[in-house]
Amino acid sequence: MAHSNGNPPEIDEDLHSRQLAVYGRETMRRLFASNVLVSGMQGLGVEIAKNLILAGVKSVTLHDEGTVELWDLSSNFYFSEDDVGKNRALACVHKLQELNSAVVISTLATELLKEQLSGFQAVVFTDISLEKAIEFNDYCHSHQPPISFIKSEVRGLFGSVFCDFGPEFTVIDVDGEEPHTGIIASISNDNPALVSCVDDERLEFQDGDLVIFSEVQGMTELNDGKPRKVKNARPYAFTLEEDTTNFGPYAKGGIVTQVKQSKVLCFKPLRDALKDPGDFLLSDFSKFDRPPLLHLAFQSLDRFICEMGRFPVAGSEEDAERLIDLATSINDSLGDGRLEEIDKKLLRHFAHGSRAVLNPMAAMFGGIVGQEVVKACSGKFHPLFQFFYFDSVESLPTEPLEPGDLKPLNSRYDAQISVFGYKLQKKLEDAKVFIVGSGALGCEFLKNLALMGICCSSEGKLTITDDDVIEKSNLSRQFLFRDWNIGQAKSTVAASVAGSINPRLRIQALQNRASPETENVFDDAFWESLDAVVNALDNVNARIYMDMRCLYFQKPLLESGTLGAKCNTQMVIPHLTENYGASRDPPEKQAPMCTVHSFPHNIDHCLTWARSEFEGLLEKTPAEVNSFLSNPSEYVTAMRTAGDAQARDLLERVIECLDKERCEAFQDCITWARLKFEDYFTNRVKQLTFTFPEDAATSTGAPFWSAPKRFPRPLEFSSSDPGHLHFIMAASILRAETFGIPIPDWAKNPNKLADAVDKVIVPEFCPREGVKIETDEKATSITAASADDAAVINDLIVKVEECAKKLPSGFRMKPIQFEKDDDTNYHMDFIAGLANMRARNYSIPEVDKLKAKFIAGRIIPAIATSTAMATGLVCLELYKVLGGGHKLEDYRNTFANLALPLFSMAEPVPPKVIKHRDMSWTVWDRWVIRQNLTLRELLQWLQEKGLNAYSISCGTCLLYNSMFPRHRERMDRPVVDLAREIAKVEVPSYRCHLDVVVACEDDEDNDIDIPLISIYFR
């Protein structure tokens, strides 16, 4: 990896926080020092440039000698009709520069010479002949240091990537995953040694991994830091390539940690790789024989263009035959490597669409290539080695295309028409689509749909909704937003910018969260009008709600998501596929409450506890104080009525806040912070180790402090310890904020603060007998209930009312809501301080503020490349959805990990079919009755189908159950009236029907799961 000289600028952690969570600081610094050339500014080139500029490389040089044609508007989102005739690089440089002012962006509009490549760490070519590519690649491969070379093309529904990062390229981190760890339970004195770990979490080690040991007691020889090889890896144990026969016997403790290994790759130059391509990276196992054919197809196209000076004409049989002849000729010259059979139909599709750069293909390959450039510049993640070919011919219309269908109409969609025909283009323009979410995925989708012409006629309509506003951290990947949009509504800004990409786009931006509360906005008429729904969400609950609505109204749902370099797409197609909610990931494992509060054994536990303490001290307790002060009599009555341990706990906190811990001056806040330090990190630990000494045993006689428990040590406060002092600074500043106390300038001066802290008198602490400390992993509350809660509450109410009398008139506290993305507010300083001091107690490695922010702030790692790729893949499916007539086997769900890289595409799973008599149905079916039926008539309607209903419910209310004799009195009442009366259901004016859930049996008393029944009564 080559890097330019000079110190890179400091990383703006507010802007790049989500990206830092993927790459880390070192990779970001390497990126900031990298100069990249992108040649060819059609759709693919501009997508790659956008992703690199958002990532924050040092400089991007845009090269293109050609001029903008109307044709280019199908894929380059920064070209407008006014740019036709201008140089392509010059036409988009200013808008690209707006994405990131820290990146130097320049243009080259003249012929490129190979010597000009010497100043770059990576070069990307998207529109270049093979002859020129080989010349440039030879120069890059032999340059010292080597220049990483990438050649990529998208031709209609076909794409290719070739990478050459030089003769010896070092990959520093092959997968980007955190090193796996395990907590040791035992190690045998054996050859080879058997290492067993606690069954807290499965081990992720694989045979051949290298691991190091630390904190092992007894067998201390293993703590030497020497990497050792894992063999026979199992879920909770492995053998070690080590003879431990003569080592000291294992006593207790110990952590085993994977050592991440670098890897050296030897790339072949293009001229050699063309003849001997090695293994192709596969994306779709149903097309395992496709890459060799596409390897041939792209070479044939290059030869065609060299001979004819143009691309094959869409629909021209003569041109397609010429390309097939060239492919046959090249194949015949390959000797043993020749293909036995050439798929002429596929090559015809390839020839017809070869001039077109389609937006979804450009978005997908822009993500892949952008990530490869990041790898080239940083050594982070495994490069693509060396060829990748992809096609999506299944996206073509199901009915045959005539040559006349593909002719240009002198419109901005001509490139797309040359592949799909004008009939599909009309369907796209007339579509009615709903996008839910306007963040990273939403921005990319809007750009894609605008370029594809979806919802761009007077018949079409695109509705987008998002209730969020733009923050600075969004700008590193939500590329429709600029820094001057911070604080504005996401959907409004995104819709406005999408309208500038294609002025014909008919779009409505809303700020409503799609949820049960907004079904008056997104009503039946709205849902029934839709052709497709595109999710651009970031949480599972919202996805499940949208899935239920799409099931109900039988609308296609195109689902996608990203996590760092990983992305997935799922097609939910009425009656063809299972729905999103049919299969779910298991819930994340939560640490038991007693582990978090008293027995942490990793930094995540410490940060979970710290976040909880932050919310309790600075948000919940001040809010509780205000709740009491706003209406004391109502509050007191509520506490008396509750009369439980929780009410007792709340009152104790309020009294503490208003009495002995009340602050009136900043020095009081420092005192509070210093005493909190003593309580958290000294006294509580002394009490814990007094209750459970180091040699304590459980009721079975086993050591109490056995793995994964770690025995803690109390901290001794020192104002000269920067960690101790920074905790005091953050805690006292935030405490002052809650009491509305001005913060003096000297509070941020370490020396003056140290003097003030040293004046605090800290009382002596003596551990007490009989203190109950929760050790039950199933316990959900740390506060224990007691028999005399009600009596204690009465005493506390007297005290709290006394406290209120001493307060100034109108006194209120200022609760603080946790905000992770403002580095000046001391929130993360306080949480990181709490967590790291606790980590010191338990000898757990500490973390910096940034890592603390990722964990405590629950930051989802995100980068522009995987987002772009996911939306490109979804839009390739959208052609199928809006075109109509496609079979299950035409659709694709995808899981991809750009770090490995891995692409796994498969057809979706069909829905489960339920059969009864001569009928069958799936989760997609809803039985509709267009009549205002009585209960008796509904039961008869079902009996005619051989179904005996024994229970009918509406919402959470039972309308009928065969076990209840009184329910028979309801037989001749309309079902709708029963629902109004019993379930208190008021059917809104925009809805014409009522839904009931019916439980049925067949004549053999077998339960039959039937669809929802909708009774249309209006």
Side-chain angles (χ1 to χ4, degrees):
M1 292 162 300
H3 303 297
S4 58
N5 297 326
N7 295 322
E10 278 301 301
I11 300 168
D12 183 339
E13 292 183 2
D14 282 351
L15 175 64
H16 290 294
S17 61
R18 296 344 182 237
Q19 188 171 301
L20 275 162
V22 182
Y23 294 146
R25 282 199 181 90
E26 193 49 47
T27 295
M28 292 288 289
R29 287 195 184 100
R30 290 194 182 106
L31 278 182
F32 283 5
S34 299
N35 303 303
V36 182
L37 169 80
V38 181
S39 174
M41 278 295 110
Q42 291 165 303
L44 176 56
V46 78
E47 287 277 357
I48 296 165
K50 171 205 54 161
N51 293 335
L52 293 174
I53 293 162
L54 290 170
V57 294
K58 182 180 181 183
S59 77
V60 175
T61 300
L62 314 172
H63 168 253
D64 201 310
E65 296 160 52
T67 54
V68 178
E69 301 171 49
L70 195 58
W71 183 272
D72 296 325
L73 269 63
S74 270
S75 58
N76 186 314
F77 45 91
Y78 284 149
F79 291 161
S80 69
E81 292 183 22
D82 295 342
D83 293 320
V84 173
K86 296 177 186 173
N87 174 271
R88 287 198 196 108
L90 291 170
C92 54
V93 63
H94 297 300
K95 287 178 180 169
L96 282 168
Q97 183 67 73
E98 282 180 6
L99 292 173
N100 190 342
S101 58
V103 179
V104 178
I105 305 174
S106 54
T107 56
L108 273 173
T110 54
E111 188 182 352
L112 190 65
L113 303 173
K114 62 185 179 186
E115 291 75 22
Q116 289 172 279
L117 305 181
S118 62
F120 298 104
Q121 280 67 53
V123 294
V124 182
F125 293 92
T126 66
D127 190 15
I128 187 177
S129 70
L130 264 179
E131 182 185 9
K132 203 74 183 162
I134 289 167
E135 179 196 337
F136 285 155
N137 177 238
D138 285 345
Y139 177 84
C140 293
H141 191 85
S142 57
H143 189 272
Q144 284 303 323
I147 300 161
S148 294
F149 174 94
I150 301 170
K151 179 182 187 298
S152 182
E153 298 174 80
V154 290
R155 304 292 177 205
L157 288 165
F158 298 80
S160 74
V161 183
F162 167 78
C163 294
D164 170 15
F165 295 175
E168 279 190 15
F169 181 82
T170 302
V171 186
I172 297 163
D173 180 355
V174 293
D175 60 9
E177 303 294 336
E178 287 288 317
H180 301 305
T181 62
I183 298 169
I184 296 165
S186 68
I187 308 172
S188 67
N189 289 87
D190 232 330
N191 185 16
L194 176 67
V195 181
S196 298
C197 292
V198 300
D199 58 3
D200 194 48
E201 283 181 22
R202 290 172 68 93
L203 294 174
E204 299 288 340
F205 299 141
Q206 295 180 340
D207 290 4
D209 279 355
L210 293 179
V211 294
I212 55 170
F213 292 81
S214 58
E215 301 180 25
V216 177
Q217 295 181 38
M219 198 180 284
T220 53
E221 294 89 342
L222 288 178
N223 294 333
D224 58 5
K226 178 180 127 187
R228 293 170 165 86
K229 192 173 279 187
V230 167
K231 289 200 311 186
N232 304 332
R234 300 202 294 276
Y236 302 104
F238 59 91
T239 52
L240 202 59
E241 271 195 8
E242 183 85 32
D243 182 357
T244 60
T245 314
N246 298 318
F247 286 11
Y250 172 80
K252 65 175 183 176
I255 292 172
V256 58
T257 306
Q258 177 192 25
V259 178
K260 298 294 290 274
Q261 299 170 64
S262 61
K263 182 178 180 180
V264 176
L265 295 174
C266 306
F267 286 86
K268 284 188 281 198
L270 181 59
R271 66 168 65 247
D272 299 340
L274 277 171
K275 300 189 201 89
D276 181 17
D279 291 335
F280 297 103
L281 177 62
L282 260 184
S283 63
D284 187 335
F285 285 101
S286 69
K287 302 178 180 180
F288 69 92
D289 56 350
R290 193 66 56 84
L293 178 60
L294 296 184
H295 188 61
L296 198 62
F298 276 91
Q299 291 177 69
S300 312
L301 178 64
D302 178 73
R303 200 168 285 185
F304 182 101
I305 295 166
C306 286
E307 277 186 14
M308 310 293 287
R310 61 172 175 83
F311 283 95
V313 173
S316 164
E317 199 50 42
E318 189 185 334
D319 283 0
E321 284 300 327
R322 179 64 193 135
L323 188 128
I324 291 166
D325 289 346
L326 288 168
T328 307
S329 159
I330 296 170
N331 189 44
D332 290 343
S333 71
L334 294 177
D336 292 345
R338 68 191 294 278
L339 300 179
E340 287 181 21
E341 196 179 350
I342 287 178
D343 184 339
K344 293 183 179 179
K345 184 182 175 187
L346 191 82
L347 288 181
R348 277 192 183 86
H349 287 318
F350 180 75
H352 292 325
S354 60
R355 186 184 162 211
V357 178
L358 299 174
N359 158 259
M361 291 291 291
M364 174 189 170
F365 276 81
I368 294 170
V369 174
Q371 196 64 58
E372 292 308 308
V373 174
V374 170
K375 296 172 188 179
C377 296
S378 67
K380 179 87 169 182
F381 303 154
H382 196 293
L384 197 159
F385 193 81
Q386 288 188 261
F387 280 105
F388 173 64
Y389 291 103
F390 171 84
D391 75 85
S392 183
V393 287
E394 303 79 22
S395 295
L396 287 169
T398 48
E399 66 274 6
L401 290 165
E402 299 299 324
D405 296 340
L406 308 174
K407 286 189 173 152
L409 303 175
N410 196 33
S411 86
R412 61 177 296 144
Y413 312 120
D414 280 352
Q416 194 162 260
I417 290 167
S418 76
V419 176
F420 295 99
Y422 73 88
K423 290 174 193 161
L424 178 64
Q425 186 60 48
K426 178 83 170 72
K427 285 182 181 176
L428 298 182
E429 289 175 47
D430 291 349
K432 292 170 185 67
V433 176
F434 185 23
I435 298 181
V436 190
S438 186
L441 288 165
C443 284
E444 289 282 340
F445 278 128
L446 277 180
K447 172 257 295 175
N448 295 356
L449 268 59
L451 290 170
M452 293 161 75
I454 292 174
C455 311
C456 289
S457 75
S458 57
E459 295 295 308
K461 184 178 181 186
L462 176 58
T463 306
I464 185 159
T465 192
D466 195 313
D467 65 346
D468 203 1
V469 294
I470 298 161
E471 299 171 8
K472 186 177 181 182
S473 62
N474 301 149
L475 304 181
S476 66
R477 64 206 181 286
Q478 300 179 19
F479 84 105
L480 298 182
F481 308 143
R482 303 289 174 267
D483 52 10
W484 56 82
N485 299 131
I486 290 170
Q488 295 172 11
K490 282 186 176 181
S491 59
T492 310
V493 174
S496 167
V497 179
S500 68
I501 292 172
N502 185 345
R504 295 181 186 88
L505 181 67
R506 290 194 71 230
I507 185 166
Q508 180 184 18
L510 301 172
Q511 283 83 52
N512 303 89
R513 182 184 294 246
S515 67
E517 292 73 42
T518 56
E519 286 177 14
N520 60 325
V521 178
F522 307 114
D523 59 17
D524 294 18
F526 170 81
W527 273 96
E528 281 158 7
S529 72
L530 295 175
D531 296 305
V533 179
V534 178
N535 268 355
L537 292 161
D538 62 359
N539 69 89
V540 172
N541 289 341
R543 287 183 168 104
I544 288 169
Y545 173 74
M546 291 305 298
D547 179 53
M548 286 162 55
R549 300 304 278 165
C550 288
L551 264 182
Y552 187 84
F553 290 101
Q554 303 188 8
K555 298 298 177 183
L557 173 65
L558 293 89
E559 162 58 36
S560 55
T562 70
L563 181 70
K566 305 179 184 87
C567 71
N568 72 283
T569 67
Q570 181 181 349
M571 300 306 110
V572 179
I573 310 298
H575 306 288
L576 285 185
T577 75
E578 68 176 12
N579 60 311
Y580 172 80
S583 56
R584 284 192 223 165
D585 293 334
E588 281 189 30
K589 190 177 173 186
Q590 298 285 323
M593 193 168 279
C594 68
T595 300
V596 170
H597 278 264
S598 301
F599 309 109
H601 54 81
N602 60 39
I603 197 67
D604 290 41
H605 296 156
C606 299
L607 283 158
T608 301
W609 171 80
R611 169 93 186 250
S612 168
E613 290 300 310
F614 177 102
E615 288 171 353
L617 292 169
L618 302 170
E619 183 184 358
K620 289 178 183 171
T621 300
E624 198 66 30
V625 167
N626 290 350
S627 179
F628 163 63
L629 294 174
S630 301
N631 197 331
S633 58
E634 192 178 297
Y635 184 85
V636 162
T637 306
M639 291 296 128
R640 274 207 184 96
T641 307
D644 57 7
Q646 188 183 7
R648 188 189 76 205
D649 188 45
L650 290 172
L651 279 165
E652 283 171 349
R653 286 193 203 177
V654 171
I655 292 164
E656 202 171 48
C657 212
L658 296 180
D659 185 18
K660 65 175 184 179
E661 291 188 359
R662 185 177 155 210
C663 300
E664 295 183 53
F666 191 73
Q667 182 64 44
D668 298 336
C669 301
I670 292 172
T671 302
W672 177 85
R674 173 66 186 88
L675 295 179
K676 271 284 171 236
F677 183 99
E678 200 69 13
D679 174 39
Y680 283 144
F681 312 121
T682 306
N683 301 351
R684 290 191 192 187
V685 174
K686 285 177 180 175
Q687 182 65 58
L688 180 63
T689 54
F690 176 79
T691 307
F692 301 112
E694 197 164 4
D695 59 359
T698 65
S699 55
T700 61
F704 179 83
W705 293 101
S706 58
K709 288 189 180 80
R710 301 171 73 86
F711 185 75
R713 313 271 175 204
L715 299 186
E716 191 172 321
F717 181 81
S718 166
S719 57
S720 59
D721 183 311
H724 294 194
L725 198 62
H726 198 69
F727 168 82
I728 300 290
M729 184 189 294
S732 53
I733 286 170
L734 292 174
R735 184 65 169 178
E737 211 176 292
T738 62
F739 277 93
I741 296 167
I743 296 156
D745 293 339
W746 59 263
K748 296 169 189 177
N749 179 314
N751 295 333
K752 289 182 178 174
L753 185 67
D755 291 343
V757 179
D758 289 338
K759 289 175 187 159
V760 177
I761 296 161
V762 180
E764 278 293 313
F765 173 78
C766 285
R768 302 191 314 275
E769 293 281 357
V771 171
K772 170 88 170 83
I773 295 173
E774 188 60 73
T775 58
D776 180 6
E777 293 200 352
K778 295 185 175 63
T780 55
S781 171
I782 297 301
T783 307
S786 68
D788 58 351
D789 278 338
V792 173
I793 284 171
N794 280 328
D795 292 345
L796 292 172
I797 285 170
V798 173
K799 281 187 191 169
V800 82
E801 287 172 336
E802 284 300 313
C803 292
K805 290 173 189 171
K806 298 174 189 171
L807 296 172
S809 172
F811 174 84
R812 292 289 185 277
M813 292 190 73
K814 295 182 176 63
I816 297 174
Q817 276 199 317
F818 175 56
E819 172 47 65
K820 60 185 175 287
D821 284 322
D822 177 356
D823 275 348
T824 65
N825 64 10
Y826 286 91
H827 295 193
M828 274 315 306
D829 300 79
F830 181 55
I831 286 176
L834 273 172
N836 282 331
M837 295 306 101
R838 189 169 178 79
R840 279 189 205 181
N841 283 141
Y842 288 86
S843 306
I844 294 167
E846 296 173 39
V847 288
D848 63 12
K849 193 167 109 181
L850 184 68
K851 186 74 184 284
K853 184 200 273 195
F854 296 155
I855 301 169
R858 300 173 194 131
I859 285 177
I860 306 293
I863 45 177
T865 48
S866 54
T867 306
M869 180 181 177
T871 61
L873 285 163
V874 168
C875 289
L876 288 171
E877 302 300 307
L878 195 51
Y879 284 128
K880 305 170 192 176
V881 168
L882 298 178
H886 287 268
K887 300 190 185 85
L888 178 72
E889 54 266 29
D890 294 332
Y891 287 97
R892 291 290 182 274
N893 290 346
T894 303
F895 171 76
N897 185 344
L898 290 174
L900 300 176
L902 164 81
F903 306 103
S904 175
M905 307 183 85
E907 68 180 62
V909 177
K912 180 184 167 191
V913 177
I914 297 167
K915 293 184 177 175
H916 171 70
R917 288 191 174 177
D918 57 349
M919 298 180 291
S920 64
W921 59 85
T922 71
V923 69
W924 286 102
D925 288 290
R926 178 158 56 106
W927 286 350
V928 171
I929 302 172
R930 296 190 181 276
Q931 186 186 343
N932 194 0
L933 291 178
T934 62
L935 186 54
R936 189 187 304 280
E937 286 167 335
L938 175 57
L939 294 172
Q940 283 169 349
W941 187 85
L942 288 161
Q943 269 174 345
E944 285 163 15
K945 298 177 183 294
L947 296 164
N948 304 312
Y950 59 83
S951 170
I952 300 173
S953 56
C954 180
T956 56
C957 286
L958 201 59
L959 303 185
Y960 168 77
N961 190 297
S962 59
M963 303 286 286
F964 299 161
R966 288 189 61 191
H967 283 192
R968 292 190 189 128
E969 296 166 12
R970 302 173 179 175
M971 282 295 193
D972 296 312
R973 309 246 341 253
V975 176
V976 177
D977 292 353
L978 288 173
R980 285 191 180 117
E981 185 184 308
I982 298 158
K984 301 290 186 278
V985 169
E986 272 310 316
V987 182
S989 57
Y990 55 79
R991 184 162 293 155
C992 303
H993 67 275
L994 176 84
D995 298 316
V996 290
V997 176
V998 182
C1000 291
E1001 293 173 336
D1002 63 13
D1003 293 335
E1004 281 81 49
D1005 297 339
N1006 300 309
D1007 268 331
I1008 305 288
D1009 200 1
I1010 71 165
L1012 191 69
I1013 295 180
S1014 295
I1015 299 171
Y1016 279 73
F1017 62 94
R1018 283 183 180 149

